[in-house]
Amino acid sequence: TAKAIVSSLISLVEDSSPDAVNNAIEAIERVRDTETQLDGAQGRLQKVPSNYIDGHAYHTYSLISPGGDVRFELRHNVNGRNVYAEGTADAVLFLARRLRSADTKKRLFNMIDVLQSGELF
């Protein structure tokens, strides 16, 4: 999620206190109206193709130097919902394999565990 990525990125700056993390999360800009998504916020954001307006996730994370003269951006865009459905199927199959395995002592998993297993559908 965007909140998890922001929490990780904030650890790269000098002040990574819980207050700094909360402030960074509160500063996340959420663009929810269709017109702004389609026109890319008048050039500030990437435009969402109209055929994906009902199922997309566009995220840009920026690290900006204190003086504003250096900017590093990490961007990921998802068009459609298939990747989420496939990820859910991968997670279910991963859990089923782990529950059948006699040597699995771990009972709490996350998507990193699923991806690192390499057992994707």
Side-chain angles (χ1 to χ4, degrees):
T1 68
K3 291 179 183 181
I5 291 174
V6 167
S7 295
S8 293
L9 290 176
I10 200 75
S11 69
L12 299 174
V13 300
E14 196 171 306
D15 178 12
S16 58
S17 67
D19 285 341
V21 172
N22 288 335
N23 290 339
I25 289 172
E26 287 179 22
I28 294 173
E29 180 183 3
R30 293 159 181 87
V31 178
R32 300 290 189 223
D33 66 282
T34 301
E35 185 177 322
T36 304
Q37 292 173 351
L38 289 170
D39 78 7
Q42 300 173 348
R44 283 190 313 103
L45 306 171
Q46 186 169 344
K47 295 179 181 181
V48 176
S50 60
N51 54 321
Y52 291 113
I53 202 66
D54 289 331
H56 69 279
Y58 280 32
H59 298 105
T60 302
Y61 308 92
S62 303
L63 299 172
I64 304 167
S65 67
D69 53 343
V70 177
R71 178 183 200 100
F72 173 82
E73 290 188 341
L74 171 65
R75 175 180 294 180
H76 65 95
N77 298 339
V78 177
N79 287 318
R81 297 178 191 244
N82 286 350
V83 70
Y84 300 109
E86 291 167 0
T88 300
D90 289 334
V92 167
L93 292 172
F94 171 87
L95 287 173
R97 287 184 195 107
R98 293 306 172 276
L99 291 173
R100 284 193 303 255
S101 175
D103 62 330
T104 299
K105 292 183 178 36
K106 185 175 178 180
R107 292 292 183 184
L108 181 63
F109 301 96
N110 59 38
M111 283 306 290
I112 299 300
D113 296 317
V114 175
L115 295 170
Q116 287 178 338
S117 76
E119 302 169 12
L120 304 179
F121 178 62

